[in-house]
Amino acid sequence: MDIRRAPPSRAASGGVEPRFRQVGFVTAAEPARGPVAPAAASPTASDGLSPVMIPPPLIPVPAPAPASESLMPSSPPPASSYLLEVISDLDDYADDDDIDVSWARPPPPALPEPNKRDLTQTKNEHGPTSVAQKPKLSKAERRAIQESQRAAKAAAKEAGLKPTAMASDASTKISKQPKTAKTSLKKDVNQVNPPVASDKKTGERPPDKDRKKDIPQSRMQFDDAHRVVKAKKRSVVSQSEARNRVELFRHLPQYAHGTQLPDLESKFLQPDLMHPSVYKVGLQYLSGDISGGNARCIAMLLAFREAINDYSMPAEKILNRDLTAKISSYVSFLIECRPLSISMGNSIRFLKNRITKLPLALSESEAKVSLQSDIDRFINEKIIVADKVIVSHAVTKIRDDDVLLTFGSASVVEMIFDHAHELGKKFRVVVVDSRPNHEGQRLLRRLVAKGISCTYTHINAVSYIMHEVTRVFLGASSVLSNGTVYSRVGTALVAMVAHAFGVPVLVCCEAYKFHERVQLDSICFNELGDPDAISRVPRDESLSHLKNWAENENLHLLNLRYDITPSDYVSMLITDYGMLPPTSVPVIVIGSTDMDHLIIVVGFKFLPARIAVLTVHRTGHGTRAHMCTYAKSKAVYQQLMFSVFYSPSENSIFGIRRMADW
Amino acid sequence: MPDVQPLVSDFVLKLKRRKVEGSHAVARQTAELLRSVVSQHRMGSSANQAAALADAVRAVGEQLIAANPIELAVGNIVRRVLHIIKEEDISSTAVGIEGLSVTVDSDGEYDSEHDDRPALSAAVLAAHARNALRAPSLQTLLEDIPVSPAISRTASSTGDSDGKSKSAGDKSSTRKLKHDVIAAIGDLIDEIDSCYEPISEQAVELIHQNEVILTLGRSRTVKEFLYAAKEKKRSFRVFVAEGAPRYQGHVLAKELVEKGVQTTVITDSAVFAMISRVNMVIVGAHAIMANGGVIAPVGMNMVALAAQRHAVPFVVVAGSHKLCPLYPHNPEVLLNELKSPSDLLDFGEFSDCMNFSTQDGSPLLNVVNPTFDYVPPKLVSLFITDTGGHSPSYMYRLIAEYYSADDLVVRRKATS
């Protein structure tokens, strides 16, 4: 809506000259921001998100219509980033403008693969992505900030005028380009700009980069033949489509198994293709040596860490730009090896966010050290410590003589059992396993080795064994914001049977795996495993009837990797934020992005990091959040609940009210 | 009697060693065995021939049931045979009376005569006696239209007729009884063999074009059912859950594909994911209990639960030999069988974990590999048997047609 409105408003503000008309954003007030905008360094100002970015389904934004009209000409969202969003929609408008395109044309693509991503796709993913970005305020808040800044800096406009004009000039041209060229041109702009207006732009660019590249979940739809061909051209891994694909799952990638590995192995020695550590991790994903959300995530982050360590910035490039591109190319390689898990997507998003936030003043080595410590911190805080917190919570739910059922092999569940065993609790574990991977056997072996009494069975027998079970502990690959649990296929069945037998289901999941996506079925988004794995029957040759299954076109084998568990089967979610009902996931998802940031922005320091935001209400006047946290008083952790009211016009939080103890 | 003993003990051994499995095979072989038991049975000149015959069958039946109590089909067939004996006894009694009073012998005329007879005739007595055995059903209502007001009296008169038949019982009538019983058992065997036909005839009425069907494991009845629909040019897709650890689903998939049915094999764990796209679940059963619950291959309960969650009809197809007149109590445990752990785990791999290493002598690792699942009646939408479609709550009536109430416990009576 705003996008469409933009061109006319710009036309109104601009002069006769088409170039200026396009520029639009450059108005009297605008350049003022440049020099002074040190606020840009603060995340507040850096969140140059266009109003369109606020995902409508999560929080109803107060109708932005009139405000944005008035806002457009005066306070510019960072032109380039904004434009990128707008471009595709602008094509129709832009065509009649005679503008020197050649100026911007020959962009030696500094950013390889990922940047060439189809724009539409990029756009599709913006909604969810932007929600999770730290530096995001509501439109109203941002507007308030911008307006105050503009007022303060109106005097200083001369200095910035020129550079901005240049910048917007460039962006103007971009808007003229046909879609395919756009992204690369966009790069060009970004390269051109910094020397000219680097001080002005620094604060504003990161978000646009974030938005463009923070697309960890590449949700390419593989039934779009055109795009598949495109993707194939740039892929490192050469693989062929599997035969006899299941009609329902055409939108998901499925490649003939075993075709990729030899090819990749032969490429291993080509040095500049991929960083060896990343290459190694990719091969491990492909062969299945590393599996499990946390393990894959940690392996990937460590590989990136190593890659960053070995990274040396090419001349005439900007570190955060070039590095992001590098990481993106790594990521797309990893995706080709195996589709990313949601946890990996989230951590990639974190890393890229970190990279783009690096202050330009930092030298290369400093930046690298900083990034590496960021990665270490992420692994430590979000995964290792989070697991410890989860274990400490979950152990309180295990009593003597309990019979605990688990499905598959979740690392955090295993830790819970280990810890409870160390505490001397007497319990028995039922390991339910499923074909074709039999991950439970590995868990079983480790548990038995530790002396925990176990019962092993397969998923079909789950209703037989459920009679004796007192609690079900499940791991999760992700928890989506409608409370559904996205996890190893079969989890839903176990949870369903437990629900039917009245056994509590406890899902353990680190909060970094939460995702703001929603999903209703297991079909729209999933991962397909190797269908041959189904035709292989263990142990008994006489039982394998499907050896040459691919020869018959009527026969399909479907090896789903994940399924979703409806939230009503989940009694409790154990996360590092505490133990919650599954309905609280969306508030954590929002809380960990929006509200955390909001609190930091305002210098709201006394709260510990772990805050659960329970509800967020947005009104025309501001944002009210009910939050909950733990505070230590007299050596006892106490759960506090309070509400915070944030007013964008004042740019401050006022009214913190402690509510009755929870 | 001694002539059949080797046959019986051979079959008992087969049952015990699980050499014969599957309700169809078991039912058939049991019926054949019982037929030879009956034919070998030497009819004494004692007063109650039928009772003696029934006792002989009971004696064998008891052994067979004890050999593999999980194969409920054995008990079903034994009860069916007992029921047959009882029916034949009554009808021959009636014929006997008829022969005495009206001297009409032939069975062919029996039916035509039936309508013309005066209210108190022996034929009506016999028909009513049959009615007493069977619950009133649509069939019997249509068959025996002239249910006379005299029926109220007949209950008392059946007792008399029994007495009369004994008095009239001569050599020929006993031979006739035996002959009739053997013929009826032959019919039963035919019925078991051909139970798929009447079931699969109903397929077209239940499967529409482009239907998506899910099934688990392999059942011959399901296969024939789907074949029949395919032959009638219905095009539909089938998801087959493989049914670990026996992977019978693979066999079914192969068979379906040979007939050109679009088939997708899924892992059992993917049932919940896929069932939201399924129109109907069609499965076979091991046995149908009197309350409408189903003993089915392991994993069926979770399929039924998933189907219920997504409001997908859960249809059970089964021949009438699978109807069991017993009410289940704790069937998951009592009507179940645990198979070898080697189906699930490699002994070689886990041998060190399976030793009795803890102090109290129980092993650290147990492996549970049950064969059957119990699906409660509330999860079943429909039963398709060879007599048509029935709801779970109707099962007890259907069962009353096949079995007589005093045979529910197959035990030899104290010798009279």
Side-chain angles (χ1 to χ4, degrees):
Chain A
M1 23 124 204
D2 284 317
I3 299 174
R4 292 288 174 191
R5 213 175 287 121
S9 71
R10 277 189 277 136
S13 69
V16 191
E17 216 268 303
R19 205 165 290 182
F20 263 109
R21 178 146 46 99
Q22 286 299 316
V23 169
F25 297 141
V26 188
T27 46
E30 139 54 28
R33 301 187 70 224
V36 198
S42 101
T44 323
S46 73
D47 69 314
L49 297 183
S50 79
V52 256
M53 298 310 296
I54 293 164
L58 283 179
I59 312 110
V61 181
S68 67
E69 295 277 21
S70 67
L71 184 66
M72 263 321 160
S74 54
S75 88
S80 49
S81 73
Y82 185 81
L83 267 176
L84 182 68
E85 289 304 310
V86 175
I87 281 165
S88 58
D89 292 277
L90 276 188
D91 276 346
D92 343 320
Y93 298 104
D95 285 334
D96 51 345
D97 284 337
D98 56 334
I99 284 191
D100 180 15
V101 182
S102 63
W103 184 87
R105 184 165 286 145
L111 310 185
E113 278 100 285
N115 267 349
K116 281 184 218 143
R117 232 175 233 148
D118 211 336
L119 200 70
T120 359
Q121 187 195 348
T122 319
K123 275 173 63 79
N124 286 344
E125 282 153 10
H126 273 320
T129 315
S130 62
V131 182
Q133 278 170 17
K134 288 264 174 189
K136 185 178 144 291
L137 296 181
S138 82
K139 182 175 163 294
E141 293 153 10
R142 194 183 54 258
R143 193 191 317 140
I145 292 159
Q146 286 169 338
E147 254 156 358
S148 64
Q149 284 169 348
R150 178 161 31 95
K153 294 149 200 168
K157 66 175 173 182
E158 312 84 52
L161 181 57
K162 192 109 178 113
T164 329
M166 284 283 281
S168 36
D169 192 13
S171 43
T172 311
K173 286 175 178 113
I174 291 158
S175 70
K176 301 284 133 53
Q177 297 303 310
K179 270 190 193 177
T180 42
K182 251 167 242 150
T183 24
S184 52
L185 281 175
K186 166 75 179 51
K187 262 173 276 153
D188 189 51
V189 173
N190 285 325
Q191 279 162 18
V192 173
N193 282 341
V196 190
S198 60
D199 55 340
K200 173 192 163 285
K201 283 278 169 185
T202 38
E204 294 168 6
R205 214 178 320 106
D208 92 67
K209 278 201 255 167
D210 291 353
R211 252 185 297 155
K212 202 171 98 204
K213 291 185 209 112
D214 282 5
I215 314 147
Q217 286 311 115
S218 169
R219 298 195 61 181
M220 181 156 147
Q221 302 298 310
F222 282 76
D223 45 354
D224 184 340
H226 177 61
R227 238 179 263 166
V228 171
V229 170
K230 246 185 185 173
K232 224 171 204 169
K233 267 186 216 150
R234 59 163 194 252
S235 73
V236 180
V237 188
S238 73
Q239 38 198 358
S240 54
E241 287 266 313
R243 286 197 289 165
N244 286 14
R245 307 215 22 211
V246 181
E247 199 57 43
L248 267 177
F249 290 93
R250 291 245 174 232
H251 60 289
L252 298 177
Q254 183 163 34
Y255 299 110
H257 195 74
T259 55
Q260 313 101 319
L261 209 52
D263 180 51
L264 277 181
E265 275 164 355
S266 66
K267 280 190 196 157
F268 190 68
L269 294 175
Q270 297 175 13
D272 47 343
L273 196 63
M274 205 51 64
H275 189 274
S277 61
V278 177
Y279 208 84
K280 187 177 116 196
V281 170
L283 288 180
Q284 281 170 326
Y285 289 169
L286 194 59
S287 61
D289 288 349
I290 298 184
S291 62
N294 285 344
R296 280 169 74 197
C297 194
I298 291 176
M300 179 191 71
L301 284 174
L302 290 179
F304 284 168
R305 187 180 188 280
E306 211 164 301
I308 289 173
N309 191 29
D310 296 344
Y311 170 80
S312 65
M313 184 171 65
E316 296 150 13
K317 285 197 178 161
I318 315 224
L319 180 111
N320 50 18
R321 188 139 285 278
D322 187 52
L323 194 54
T324 315
K326 264 251 161 21
I327 298 286
S328 298
S329 71
Y330 294 159
V331 169
S332 58
F333 166 73
L334 293 180
I335 291 175
E336 282 160 28
C337 293
R338 188 180 160 183
L340 295 185
S341 70
I342 291 176
S343 57
M344 290 162 76
N346 283 346
S347 47
I348 291 168
R349 194 150 71 181
F350 160 83
L351 179 61
K352 286 189 175 172
N353 212 2
R354 282 284 141 198
I355 295 174
T356 50
K357 285 242 184 69
L358 283 176
L360 275 191
L362 238 53
S363 76
E364 187 186 325
S365 57
E366 281 170 336
K368 278 158 66 176
V369 169
S370 144
L371 282 179
Q372 288 176 28
S373 73
D374 277 341
I375 291 177
D376 289 342
R377 206 159 43 80
F378 185 87
I379 294 177
N380 194 38
E381 279 179 12
K382 297 284 185 185
I383 304 177
I384 294 172
V385 174
D387 279 346
K388 281 185 183 146
V389 174
I390 291 174
V391 167
S392 69
H393 282 310
V395 158
T396 63
K397 298 292 166 204
I398 299 179
R399 296 167 305 191
D400 277 348
D401 300 323
D402 260 349
V403 179
L404 313 172
L405 183 142
T406 186
F407 174 71
S409 163
S411 57
V412 63
V413 173
E414 186 183 347
M415 281 187 240
I416 292 168
F417 293 160
D418 286 351
H419 190 58
H421 186 64
E422 281 163 18
L423 292 179
K425 302 204 178 191
K426 300 257 176 299
F427 62 94
R428 198 153 62 80
V429 175
V430 177
V431 179
V432 178
D433 208 350
S434 77
R435 287 241 307 152
N437 285 343
H438 294 296
E439 290 149 324
Q441 290 187 4
R442 273 169 268 166
L443 173 70
L444 179 70
R445 178 155 271 291
R446 290 193 293 265
L447 290 179
V448 169
K450 290 189 182 104
I452 300 174
S453 168
C454 290
T455 302
Y456 178 81
T457 190
H458 58 99
I459 186 154
N460 276 339
V462 70
S463 27
Y464 173 87
I465 205 81
M466 198 55 84
H467 291 278
E468 52 195 71
V469 172
T470 55
R471 285 202 194 334
V472 175
F473 279 91
L474 297 172
S477 171
S478 178
V479 181
L480 310 180
S481 75
N482 55 348
T484 53
V485 176
Y486 183 75
S487 188
R488 172 72 58 233
V489 64
T491 307
L493 280 173
V494 173
M496 175 188 69
V497 173
H499 182 76
F501 283 79
V503 180
V505 178
L506 297 95
V507 173
C508 308
C509 183
E510 300 86 353
Y512 86 103
K513 292 177 174 173
F514 286 11
H515 201 276
E516 65 273 359
R517 175 196 299 163
V518 291
Q519 217 175 318
L520 289 172
D521 57 34
S522 317
I523 293 163
C524 292
F525 180 75
N526 211 315
E527 190 186 327
L528 300 178
D530 175 23
D532 285 319
I534 292 186
S535 68
R536 280 193 293 270
V537 170
R539 286 172 285 280
D540 198 346
E541 270 302 303
S542 67
L543 291 177
S544 56
H545 301 275
L546 295 177
K547 269 207 183 111
N548 303 316
W549 63 276
E551 285 165 12
N552 195 323
E553 58 176 15
N554 281 331
L555 182 59
H556 312 277
L557 303 190
L558 176 64
N559 185 2
L560 274 187
R561 282 274 173 83
Y562 295 99
D563 65 9
I564 60 127
T565 308
S567 61
D568 50 339
Y569 291 156
V570 180
S571 322
M572 186 194 267
L573 207 56
I574 305 181
T575 76
D576 33 339
Y577 282 87
M579 292 179 273
L580 317 156
T583 46
S584 294
V585 173
V587 293
I588 287 204
V589 171
I590 297 168
S592 60
T593 58
D594 220 359
M595 293 310 286
D596 274 6
H597 170 65
L598 193 140
I599 288 159
I600 294 160
V601 166
V602 192
F604 196 72
K605 292 287 186 196
F606 78 86
L607 286 173
R610 278 199 279 121
I611 297 176
V613 180
L614 303 174
T615 56
V616 180
H617 306 287
R618 249 166 241 217
T619 63
H621 307 293
T623 308
R624 182 189 301 279
H626 296 287
M627 305 191 212
C628 154
T629 186
Y630 293 92
K632 198 174 186 183
S633 73
K634 293 173 193 160
V636 177
Y637 274 101
Q638 205 182 359
Q639 204 161 28
L640 296 178
M641 215 171 125
F642 50 88
S643 68
V644 173
F645 189 76
Y646 170 82
S647 157
S649 58
E650 311 273 319
N651 192 15
S652 66
I653 285 184
F654 59 89
I656 298 171
R657 197 150 48 84
R658 165 118 185 244
M659 296 165 76
D661 280 4
W662 204 12
Chain B
M1 247 332 239
D3 310 337
V4 286
Q5 199 49 50
L7 278 176
V8 171
S9 47
D10 182 46
F11 189 56
V12 164
L13 217 56
K14 271 190 190 165
L15 282 174
K16 274 188 180 161
R17 290 178 178 163
R18 307 295 190 257
K19 288 263 172 61
V20 198
E21 277 188 310
S23 357
H24 183 260
V26 166
R28 213 197 120 87
Q29 295 191 26
T30 310
E32 276 169 359
L33 181 70
L34 289 180
R35 183 166 63 178
S36 52
V37 167
V38 170
S39 60
Q40 300 283 323
H41 181 72
R42 228 174 293 131
M43 292 303 227
S45 54
S46 73
N48 198 341
Q49 300 295 339
L53 193 58
D55 252 0
V57 170
R58 250 187 226 116
V60 174
E62 207 180 342
Q63 293 177 54
L64 297 183
I65 291 171
N68 188 353
I70 311 302
E71 285 292 0
L72 293 164
V74 176
N76 298 345
I77 296 303
V78 172
R79 290 184 192 102
R80 286 285 284 275
V81 171
L82 289 174
H83 184 66
I84 286 170
I85 293 171
K86 202 161 285 179
E87 262 196 334
E88 293 301 334
D89 182 31
I90 286 166
S91 70
S92 69
T93 308
V95 170
I97 296 166
E98 232 169 304
L100 283 180
S101 57
V102 205
T103 65
V104 173
D105 285 335
S106 85
D107 269 18
E109 280 155 337
Y110 169 82
D111 272 330
S112 58
E113 199 112 335
H114 179 224
D115 292 344
D116 312 332
R117 293 227 65 83
L120 247 173
S121 79
V124 174
L125 275 186
H128 182 66
R130 210 175 291 150
N131 280 358
L133 281 173
R134 277 187 197 174
S137 71
L138 192 61
Q139 267 173 322
T140 47
L141 283 180
L142 291 175
E143 269 175 16
D144 310 314
I145 295 161
V147 178
S148 59
I151 279 170
S152 52
R153 286 187 52 200
T154 52
S156 58
S157 60
T158 38
D160 305 7
S161 70
D162 244 9
K164 275 180 209 164
S165 84
K166 270 169 229 158
S167 63
D170 57 357
K171 259 301 189 251
S172 72
S173 83
T174 56
R175 204 168 297 137
K176 183 162 180 357
L177 170 71
K178 194 166 143 183
H179 175 78
D180 287 349
V181 167
I182 290 171
I185 295 178
D187 289 347
L188 175 64
I189 293 173
D190 286 347
E191 184 194 316
I192 294 170
D193 279 343
S194 63
C195 72
Y196 304 118
E197 285 164 28
I199 294 176
S200 49
E201 269 168 21
Q202 304 165 55
V204 226
E205 292 165 28
L206 288 155
I207 298 177
H208 64 71
Q209 194 73 14
N210 287 336
E211 183 107 35
V212 182
I213 294 163
L214 184 137
T215 185
L216 179 130
R218 175 180 181 268
S219 149
R220 205 178 138 194
T221 326
V222 171
K223 187 188 83 177
E224 300 285 347
F225 194 78
L226 297 178
Y227 273 12
K230 185 69 192 172
E231 273 158 22
K232 294 274 164 55
K233 304 286 177 238
R234 284 289 144 82
S235 89
F236 53 93
R237 278 183 297 151
V238 182
F239 284 106
V240 182
E242 55 187 6
R246 306 179 83 189
Y247 309 110
Q248 291 292 300
H250 291 184
V251 185
L252 178 67
K254 208 173 160 193
E255 288 166 345
L256 289 177
V257 164
E258 278 162 14
K259 288 273 173 177
V261 181
Q262 288 268 327
T263 311
T264 306
V265 181
I266 60 173
T267 51
D268 302 317
S269 45
V271 164
F272 192 89
M274 295 316 299
I275 204 145
S276 59
R277 295 296 178 272
V278 166
N279 302 132
M280 180 156 60
V281 179
I282 300 177
V283 294
H286 175 70
I288 299 172
M289 308 308 287
N291 65 346
V294 181
I295 308 288
V298 67
M300 210 60 93
N301 188 41
M302 75 185 187
V303 175
L305 280 170
Q308 189 198 37
R309 161 88 192 189
H310 292 88
V312 177
F314 186 84
V315 178
V316 177
V317 289
S320 57
H321 59 273
K322 291 180 179 175
L323 288 177
C324 178
L326 302 178
Y327 284 82
H329 169 68
N330 202 2
E332 294 92 339
V333 179
L334 297 181
L335 292 177
N336 214 334
E337 192 167 37
L338 296 179
K339 293 271 182 188
S340 157
S342 65
D343 289 344
L344 305 183
L345 282 182
D346 266 334
F347 280 147
E349 213 176 305
F350 278 85
S351 51
D352 53 326
C353 308
M354 292 203 205
N355 56 1
F356 289 68
S357 53
T358 48
Q359 308 91 326
D360 53 355
S362 66
L364 264 184
L365 175 58
N366 289 296
V367 178
V368 179
N369 182 13
T371 322
F372 299 117
D373 237 356
Y374 173 69
V375 182
K378 63 173 184 185
L379 297 181
V380 181
S381 317
L382 193 66
F383 286 104
I384 306 285
T385 68
D386 34 12
T387 57
H390 305 285
S391 82
S393 57
Y394 182 72
M395 276 303 148
Y396 80 102
R397 293 297 285 275
L398 201 60
I399 278 159
E401 281 187 31
Y402 289 113
Y403 308 100
S404 54
D406 43 347
D407 288 334
L408 292 190
V409 180
V410 180
R411 189 156 299 159
R412 214 175 337 180
K413 284 172 189 154
T415 42
S416 50

